[in-house]
Amino acid sequence: MQWANFLAKEAATHSLSLKQTAAFIKYFNNEKLSKTEAQLASELNVDIATFRTLMGEIYNKFAQNYPELAISSSRDKLENLQAYLRAKYNSELDVLKPLAAMKLLKTLVVRERLQQEPWVARRICKSLGYLPLALELVARYLDKMPDLSLETLLKRLEKKRLEHKAVVNANSLMAYEYGVAEAFELSWEQLDENAQSFGCLLSLSALADIALSVETIEDDKKQELWEKAIADLLELHLLQRESKGIYRLNPLIRQLIQIKLDKSNEADEAKTKFAAMMLEVAKLIPQQPNPEDILNLTPHIPHITEVATHLSQYVDDENLITLFTKLAWFYQGQGLYQQAESWLQQCVELIQNRLGLKHIDVAASLSNLAGLYKSIGRYSEAEPLYQQTLELRKHLLGDNHLDVATSLNNLALLYESTGRYSEAEPLLEKALELKKCLLGEEHTDVATSMSYLGLIYESTGRYNEAELLYQQALELWKRLVGEEHPHVATNLNNLAALYCYTGRYSEAEPLLEQALKLRKRLLGEEHPDVATSLNNLAQLYESTGRYSKAEPLYQQGLELSKRLLGDNHPDVAISLNNLAALYRHTRRYRKAKPLFEKALKICERTLGVSHPTTMTIRANYASFLREAYH
C-alpha cells in the first residue's frame, strides 16, 4: 500500500472532515516533514492559525483512540503522531521479492516438503502475492496437514480466490491483498466453532494490544474454552502473542474476521457481548484515577473507545452515560481536558439523540460537562449548562427532589467561584432546606450543604455564621461516620482555614495537624489529600514566620503531588507557587523565579490563561518580579 493511500485510509478510519483530511495528508505526506507550517498552510489556502487548529483537531481525534498519544507533551505531539503512523504503516503488509518470499517459506515449512515440489512452491509464493502474512498463514496450515501436497494446496488457494474475490472487492481491500484473504480462509476453516466465535469477539477490539486475563474468569468451563480458542488462533497465526497476557490481531486479519462476523447471524449478539465486556472494564475507572489506575487501565482504553465510537448502539440506555463519563474521567484525572471534553460532549449529543431532549440522563450529561468547564475556569460555558440541568430536573422530577438540590448546589458553587455571592447564597440555603426536608437533619448530604453555605458566609465576611456552620458540619460528620473518617479531616481543614483567614493561628494549628495525621492514617502516606494537608500546614507555619518548619512541608507536598499526579497537574503548580512564595519571603529569589515560571506554565497549559488559579499565580509572579528586580 502506498503511503498516500495509507494516510487516506487512516483519515477515513478516524472520521476526519474534508478540511482535516486535506491538512492531514498534506502534513504527513511532506517528505521528512521538510516544509514549514507557513508553506503547508499556503498550499491549503489557509492561514497558519487555521492550519494549527486543524492539526490540533486531527491529533485529538487520533488521541481519543490511542491513549499513548494523549499523554504526549504538547511540544512533540505531531512528531509522536508521525512515529505512530509510520509504525502502523510498517506493520501493514510489505510485498517481498520472489527470492525473499521463497526464502521465508523455507524457514517456515519443512525443507524436504518443499524440495519434493519446488516449482509448485514458487507458484504458491506468487499466488500469495509474495506477502509475508499470507506465507505465514499457509505455513501454519501445512503444519496441520502433514500429508497435504503443495499441488493440492495451490488448487485450494485458487478456488478460495474465486470464491472470495467478490467479498474482498466489496470490502475495499487492495488487489495485492488477495493472497492473505485466501490463506486466511483455509486457516479459518480449521477452527472449531468456539475458536471462530472467540476470534469474532476479538475482531471487535481496537487496532491495539489486547489484554486477555483468562485466569480471572471464575467459570472454569468458560476459562478452558477461552484458553483453547487462544491456543487455536495462535497455532494458525491468526493471533499474535506480544507478551504474557497481551495479544494483537494483524489489521487485515481483523478486517477479514469482521467480514466473517458481519455475514453471520451472530453479529449483533457478539457486538452486544463485547460492548458489555468493555463496559464492565470502564466501570473500574475512578473519578480521580491515580498513577497505578492509569497504568492498569491504559491497555483497555482503546477498546473501550472502540465501543464508544463504533458500537454505542449496542450499549443499553441506562449504561450509555456511564461509558462516556468514565472515559472522560480517565482523561480529566490526568489533566487532559480536551479529551475529557470531547467525550462529555459526545455523551450529551448521543443521549439527546437516543433518549430525547427531555430525559433525566440528558440532565446528568449536561451537569457532567458543566462540571468539567467549571473545573478549568470556563464559567461562562458552565453556567447555562447548570441552569439547563436545574430546569430539566425540576420539570422531570418536581421541585422537591435530591437531584434538584444537587443542581442548586452546583450552580451556587459556580456563582461562588465567580464572586457572585448574593446569587449563590439563596440557592445554597434552598438546597440545605430541601436536603433536611427529604433526608432529615442527620445526614451526610446535609453536612456537605452546611459546609458549602459556610463557604459563602466566609467569603462575604460573616465569619461567626460561617464558623457555626463549619462546626455543626464537623460534629454531624463525627456523629454519622465516627471520628476516623476522611470527611472529618476535610471538615477540620475547612474550619482551620477560617481560623487562618481571621488570624486565629493558634486555634487552626491543632486542627491542621489532626487532619494531616488522620489522612495519613486513613488514606496512607501516598495520597493527594495528604499533599494538600502538608501544604495547608506549611502555609500556617509561613504565615506565623516559621519558615524553617514550612519549607520541608512544602517540599514534601510538592514531591508527593508530582509522584501521584505527574509533573504537569494543576495541584503541582499550586505547590510550586507556594514554595516559590516562601523563597520570595526569605529573599531567595534565584530559587523562587524558576518555580513561579514553571507553575504559571503548567496552569496556562492545563487550565487556560483566564482560570482564577492561573491569574493568581501570574499576579504572584508579577509582584515577585517587581520586588526582586526593581
Side-chain angles (χ1 to χ4, degrees), residues 21-42:
T21 297
F24 174 71
I25 293 176
K26 179 68 71 174
Y27 185 92
F28 290 107
N29 210 27
N30 173 11
E31 183 64 27
K32 296 183 180 178
L33 305 182
S34 58
K35 292 183 181 178
T36 66
E37 285 185 337
Q39 290 173 316
L40 294 170
S42 176

Side-chain angles (χ1 to χ4, degrees), residues 362-466:
V362 172
S365 63
L366 289 169
S367 184
N368 290 339
L369 182 57
L372 173 68
Y373 287 152
K374 176 180 178 293
S375 71
I376 56 178
R378 292 164 62 178
Y379 302 124
S380 62
E381 295 171 82
E383 184 175 346
L385 297 182
Y386 273 144
Q387 290 171 335
Q388 288 177 51
T389 302
L390 176 59
E391 293 307 313
L392 187 53
R393 282 174 169 166
K394 282 182 176 181
H395 174 73
L396 295 172
L397 305 171
D399 291 345
N400 298 314
H401 194 279
L402 281 176
D403 286 355
V404 172
T406 299
S407 281
L408 289 168
N409 269 332
N410 290 340
L411 187 56
L413 292 175
L414 175 69
Y415 291 153
E416 187 276 333
S417 297
T418 54
R420 296 154 65 183
Y421 306 123
S422 61
E423 295 175 77
E425 186 174 333
L427 298 184
L428 286 173
E429 288 175 339
K430 188 173 182 180
L432 177 58
E433 180 184 351
L434 189 53
K435 287 184 177 181
K436 284 181 177 179
C437 178
L438 295 171
L439 302 171
E441 300 274 346
E442 299 285 309
H443 196 280
T444 54
D445 282 2
V446 172
T448 300
S449 280
M450 285 179 174
S451 295
Y452 290 155
L453 188 55
L455 178 63
I456 295 297
Y457 290 159
E458 181 182 345
S459 299
T460 53
R462 293 147 69 182
Y463 303 125
N464 290 336
E465 293 174 79

Side-chain angles (χ1 to χ4, degrees), residues 87-98:
K88 185 174 179 184
Y89 177 67
N90 291 334
S91 72
E92 301 264 344
L93 301 172
D94 292 321
V95 180
L96 298 174
K97 298 289 185 181

Side-chain angles (χ1 to χ4, degrees), residues 233-244:
L233 290 165
L234 288 172
E235 184 181 15
L236 288 167
H237 199 62
L238 297 175
L239 181 68
Q240 286 82 50
R241 182 179 183 273
E242 299 294 307
S243 60
K244 181 175 172 58

Side-chain angles (χ1 to χ4, degrees), residues 419-562:
R420 296 154 65 183
Y421 306 123
S422 61
E423 295 175 77
E425 186 174 333
L427 298 184
L428 286 173
E429 288 175 339
K430 188 173 182 180
L432 177 58
E433 180 184 351
L434 189 53
K435 287 184 177 181
K436 284 181 177 179
C437 178
L438 295 171
L439 302 171
E441 300 274 346
E442 299 285 309
H443 196 280
T444 54
D445 282 2
V446 172
T448 300
S449 280
M450 285 179 174
S451 295
Y452 290 155
L453 188 55
L455 178 63
I456 295 297
Y457 290 159
E458 181 182 345
S459 299
T460 53
R462 293 147 69 182
Y463 303 125
N464 290 336
E465 293 174 79
E467 181 179 354
L468 180 60
L469 278 178
Y470 282 152
Q471 289 173 335
Q472 289 176 351
L474 177 59
E475 292 306 314
L476 185 52
W477 275 109
K478 286 180 177 179
R479 284 200 303 276
L480 294 173
V481 300
E483 301 268 352
E484 299 283 308
H485 196 279
H487 285 309
V488 171
T490 299
N491 279 265
L492 287 168
N493 262 325
N494 290 343
L495 189 55
L498 174 64
Y499 290 156
C500 286
Y501 193 73
T502 53
R504 296 156 65 181
Y505 299 115
S506 61
E507 294 176 76
E509 187 170 342
L511 299 185
L512 289 175
E513 290 173 342
Q514 186 181 347
L516 176 58
K517 290 178 181 177
L518 197 54
R519 281 174 165 167
K520 283 183 176 181
R521 189 162 61 247
L522 297 173
L523 305 173
E525 300 274 348
E526 300 283 310
H527 194 279
D529 286 356
V530 172
T532 299
S533 276
L534 288 167
N535 270 291
N536 292 343
L537 189 55
Q539 284 179 311
L540 181 139
Y541 290 152
E542 182 181 358
S543 298
T544 53
R546 291 177 282 174
Y547 302 126
S548 61
K549 293 190 72 174
E551 184 173 349
L553 294 188
Y554 276 141
Q555 290 170 335
Q556 289 174 41
L558 173 60
E559 292 306 314
L560 183 54
S561 293
K562 284 182 177 180

Side-chain angles (χ1 to χ4, degrees), residues 8-232:
K9 177 183 168 185
E10 285 295 298
T13 300
H14 290 82
S15 303
L16 301 187
S17 68
L18 291 176
K19 284 186 177 180
Q20 290 169 343
T21 297
F24 174 71
I25 293 176
K26 179 68 71 174
Y27 185 92
F28 290 107
N29 210 27
N30 173 11
E31 183 64 27
K32 296 183 180 178
L33 305 182
S34 58
K35 292 183 181 178
T36 66
E37 285 185 337
Q39 290 173 316
L40 294 170
S42 176
E43 290 175 10
L44 289 166
N45 295 319
V46 298
D47 56 38
I48 291 180
T50 302
F51 179 76
R52 287 174 177 170
T53 298
L54 285 170
M55 295 310 298
E57 293 169 351
I58 290 164
Y59 187 89
N60 289 336
K61 285 203 173 185
F62 277 87
Q64 283 182 19
N65 292 326
Y66 301 98
E68 60 270 25
L69 291 176
I71 61 176
S72 301
S73 64
S74 58
R75 186 183 62 184
D76 58 1
K77 279 185 174 182
L78 293 178
E79 287 91 337
N80 283 346
L81 181 53
Q82 169 81 353
Y84 157 77
L85 290 169
R86 279 291 174 189
K88 185 174 179 184
Y89 177 67
N90 291 334
S91 72
E92 301 264 344
L93 301 172
D94 292 321
V95 180
L96 298 174
K97 298 289 185 181
L99 287 177
M102 193 63 193
K103 184 176 180 181
L104 174 61
L105 190 62
K106 288 177 179 177
T107 66
L108 299 172
V109 180
V110 176
R111 183 177 296 271
E112 290 76 13
R113 197 168 183 182
L114 297 180
Q115 289 174 342
Q116 292 173 5
E117 302 174 89
W119 292 106
V120 179
R122 290 187 178 91
R123 288 168 61 197
I124 288 173
C125 288
K126 182 178 180 180
S127 174
L128 295 176
Y130 306 111
L131 299 172
L133 176 58
L135 293 167
E136 181 77 45
L137 292 174
V138 160
R140 297 296 181 92
Y141 178 77
L142 286 170
D143 281 346
K144 291 182 70 69
M145 302 283 190
D147 297 324
L148 183 70
S149 71
L150 297 187
E151 185 68 40
T152 302
L153 170 64
L154 182 60
K155 289 178 181 178
R156 289 182 183 180
L157 288 171
E158 291 170 347
K159 181 180 179 183
K160 291 301 178 186
R161 168 161 294 184
L162 293 175
E163 290 176 359
H164 290 277
K165 189 172 183 179
V167 175
V168 174
N169 282 334
N171 286 274
S172 304
L173 295 176
M174 306 301 282
Y176 62 69
E177 293 172 351
Y178 288 140
V180 175
E182 299 111 55
F184 162 79
E185 186 62 31
L186 291 178
S187 299
W188 186 255
E189 291 176 350
Q190 294 297 306
L191 298 174
D192 61 19
E193 184 179 347
N194 169 57
Q196 289 184 352
S197 295
F198 189 75
C200 287
L201 203 62
L202 290 184
S203 75
L204 298 171
S205 301
L207 280 171
D209 286 346
I210 305 168
L212 292 174
S213 302
V214 178
E215 294 176 358
T216 62
I217 300 174
E218 295 182 1
D219 186 323
D220 290 343
K221 184 177 180 180
K222 182 179 178 182
Q223 184 181 34
E224 290 174 7
L225 287 172
W226 276 32
E227 287 173 343
K228 184 178 184 303
I230 291 171
D232 291 346

